[in-house]
């Protein structure tokens, strides 16, 4: 299995993996819309036998400065529980650090994302429409992001 940056030829397969993983098209459309708007900062695929089997997107937040949103993480239903999602999260966070991003926010299962260092406590000081126990943050640099309101890019407004 290989983890790599998305390529233009991957777009139909990325769309299909997101639809399969979530059982609906909204997350696939979200990725397409984030890409079209220029908001994707990191978009990785897991490929096995020349087939895209998983995808992760990290997009630029409008606020705070230097922050990313992790969403969505999609693994094809036939390949779940094999550590592919964890590999994509780890690789994307490594790349975000290398590229100088300060923090990453995620809305998800605390039991899953806490193993990567995300915590609701870290996110609690950031006002956000998603605030609560499933809204988590991870600081990538020694300098914590200021407590600005977390504002997601416009394509998230259409996600139900």
């Amino acid at each position: 299995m290989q983890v790599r940056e998305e390529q233009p030829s991957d777009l139909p397969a990325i769309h299909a993996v997101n639809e399969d993983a979530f059982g609906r098209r909204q997350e696939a459309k979200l990725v397409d819309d984030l890409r079209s708007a220029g908001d994707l900062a990191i978009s990785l695929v897991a490929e096995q036998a020349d087939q895209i089997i998983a995808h992760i997107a990290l997009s630029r937040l409008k606020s705070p400065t230097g922050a990313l949103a992790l969403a969505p993480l999609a693994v094809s239903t036939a390949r779940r529980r094999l550590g592919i999602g964890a590999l994509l999260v780890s690789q994307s966070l490594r790349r975000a650090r290398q590229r100088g991003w300060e923090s990453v926010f995620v809305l998800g299962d605390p039991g899953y994302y806490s193993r990567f260092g995300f915590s609701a406590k870290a996110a609690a000081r950031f006002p956000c429409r998603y605030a609560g126990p499933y809204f988590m943050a991870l600081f990538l640099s020694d300098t914590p992001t200021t407590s600005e309101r977390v504002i997601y890019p416009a394509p998230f407004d259409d996600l139900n």
Side-chain angles (χ1 to χ4, degrees):
M1 181 175 54
Q2 175 188 10
V3 173
R4 60 176 176 75
E5 299 280 340
E6 73 169 36
Q7 301 298 313
S9 60
D10 298 331
L11 304 189
I14 290 170
H15 191 93
V17 164
N18 276 279
E19 277 193 15
D20 174 55
F22 291 96
R24 60 186 201 162
R25 71 178 300 272
Q26 284 90 337
E27 285 77 10
K29 183 179 181 319
L30 172 65
V31 174
D32 293 343
D33 292 348
L34 287 166
R35 186 181 299 107
S36 293
D39 291 324
L40 283 183
I42 297 172
S43 183
L44 302 179
V45 296
E47 181 180 51
Q48 190 171 41
D50 295 324
Q51 181 181 16
I52 304 296
I53 58 172
H55 173 256
I56 191 168
L58 278 74
S59 55
R60 292 170 188 83
L61 289 169
K62 290 182 178 182
S63 171
T65 302
L68 298 170
L70 188 164
L73 168 61
V75 178
S76 68
T77 55
R79 305 291 171 89
R80 291 189 178 157
R81 303 214 177 270
L82 299 174
I84 298 166
L87 178 62
L88 282 176
V89 172
S90 296
Q91 289 285 321
S92 66
L93 294 176
R94 182 179 59 79
R95 290 173 194 221
R97 274 189 189 92
Q98 290 172 340
R99 295 174 189 178
W101 292 97
E102 294 178 13
S103 58
V104 179
F105 291 85
V106 67
L107 184 66
D109 177 12
Y112 184 79
Y113 287 102
S114 64
R115 67 174 128 166
F116 305 102
F118 286 94
S119 79
K121 182 178 179 182
R125 66 187 182 118
F126 294 87
C128 181
R129 68 181 183 174
Y130 301 119
Y134 298 100
F135 182 64
M136 296 166 280
L138 171 66
F139 300 116
L140 302 176
S141 66
D142 293 335
T143 308
T145 308
T146 59
S147 297
E148 299 172 54
R149 174 171 288 285
V150 174
I151 303 172
Y152 280 72
F156 280 92
D157 294 341
D158 298 329
L159 190 62
N160 295 322

